[in-house]
Amino acid sequence: MRIVQINTTYGKGSTGNICINISKVLSDNQIENYIFYTAGKSENNAAVKYAGDSDIKLASAFSHFSGKYGFVSKNMTKKLIAKLDEIKPDIVHIHNIHSHNCNLQILFNYLSANKIKVLWTFHDCWAFTGYCTHFIMSDCNKWKSGCGSCPQFRHYSLFFDRSDYLYNKKRELLSSVDLSVVTPSQWLADVVKDSFLGGCPVSVINNGIDLSLFKPLKSDFREKHGIPRDKIIILGAAYNWNERKGIDVFQELSKRLDESVYQIVIIGLSGNQSAAFPGNVIALPLLSDRSELARIYSAADVFINPTREDTFPTVNMEAIACGTPVITTDVGGCPETVGADSGIVVSGGDIDGIINALERIVNSESYSSAACRDYACEHFDEHKTYQKYLSLYRVM
């Protein structure tokens, strides 16, 4: 068996790390495998970079001008196919290919013509919509029957709404191959069943994390930032803070919470975003050092994730694994990341609900570090998670 994974990144972001972890499982089982990517760097002989930053920037510009999101990138996709021709895989495992790194028509025509089995892990909803990766905030269900007059097309196209065309092309192309789907949450699996892919086999494999890295650790974070021992640390973290991630929720919390009792810490803010918060908020940039991130998770008393759209948020898992209970929203797969003693689920955008949940957690002994860690070990162990992919490959 020979397997090729295709993803935007290698070793960057959640999908980049997922690819590496799957590759490790395959290699440990003496299965030949490769990762095709366009962003990042690797000295791994099995990692194939088939395009560079300038290629992606050019494709992005043309995509936004033409509105044909996912159907540009012709030259780099031909390079990808040339590499596939050399390797001749039995299975092509797709992850994220909507960052202007692939032309769907060229790729799927090739996969269909060569009768290559396809496994696609959906990390969002893009595969079965015209444009969008998520549709909860726009309250749009057109993907169930046919996209058009897209409420979000301006995020993807400067001039033209081609959502109807893109939706129908995706439906045509995805039906032309032997396709199996994996989703990281039951929520997304249920959504897929309501889409034009409802007839495809769908497996739920939750994303996993490295529990040897994300675990309760001794931390000098309080001392570094002069936070008293009796002050409750509230932590938030995101790769890209915006309304979708709930930055406005933290802005409201910074006004309403008693700063003599609570210390808000936010990771991932840009300079301009940091300036919008009052001085009582500790604003930190993105952290590339995951060990440092784990120490901050461990120092926090409560992690709050006020996201309004998400599939299966990694930050929730990381916080719980470090012994920190999570307050998250009832959207997407978020509720599936917390257990009875490791967190509380509230309605999206419900500030009062978050404050009430915060008070429940800090005044209860149920949400202990040990309870959180036990939940993480049972549900988030990447060694168990990625073994499930191996089982799936073998029955395809």
Side-chain angles (χ1 to χ4, degrees), residues 15-91:
T15 59
N17 288 313
I18 287 168
C19 289
I20 291 175
N21 289 326
I22 292 173
S23 178
K24 287 177 181 176
V25 170
L26 291 171
S27 297
D28 288 345
N29 285 271
Q30 288 75 53
I31 296 174
E32 185 179 350
N33 71 95
Y34 303 85
I35 300 173
F36 286 16
Y37 71 102
T38 55
K41 294 181 180 179
S42 173
E43 296 180 359
N44 181 353
N45 291 333
V48 178
K49 189 169 186 176
Y50 64 91
D53 292 344
S54 59
D55 298 309
I56 298 296
K57 288 179 181 178
L58 183 62
S60 174
F62 185 65
S63 175
H64 281 90
F65 179 79
S66 67
K68 293 184 177 180
Y69 188 48
F71 288 83
V72 294
S73 315
K74 291 183 179 180
N75 289 336
M76 71 177 77
T77 308
K78 289 176 181 177
K79 292 177 183 178
L80 184 157
I81 286 174
K83 295 290 185 181
L84 289 176
D85 251 347
E86 292 175 16
I87 294 169
K88 297 186 175 5
D90 300 294
I91 298 172

Side-chain angles (χ1 to χ4, degrees), residues 137 238-249 268-269 273 306-309:
M137 287 181 66
Y239 181 77
N240 182 25
W241 281 106
N242 49 31
E243 184 185 5
R244 177 177 163 243
K245 289 297 184 182
I247 188 172
D248 57 305
V249 173
L269 291 174
Q273 289 173 330
T307 181
R308 291 182 171 89
E309 291 179 324

Side-chain angles (χ1 to χ4, degrees), residues 98-164:
H98 57 73
S99 293
H100 312 293
N101 59 323
C102 186
N103 181 297
L104 274 184
Q105 181 149 0
I106 294 173
L107 176 62
F108 273 78
N109 283 345
Y110 171 84
L111 296 172
S112 176
N114 289 273
K115 295 181 170 51
I116 298 173
K117 294 180 179 179
V118 180
L119 178 65
W120 195 338
T121 296
F122 290 172
H123 300 284
D124 51 44
C125 307
W126 180 78
F128 52 87
T129 70
Y131 279 117
C132 68
T133 56
H134 291 280
F135 44 74
I136 295 174
M137 287 181 66
S138 61
D139 192 26
C140 178
N141 288 314
K142 293 179 181 179
W143 53 272
K144 290 183 178 182
S145 56
C147 291
S149 300
C150 176
Q152 298 190 63
F153 90 90
R154 289 291 187 186
H155 294 291
Y156 304 93
S157 174
L158 292 174
F159 305 109
F160 310 107
D161 178 1
R162 303 192 190 277
S163 55
D164 178 47

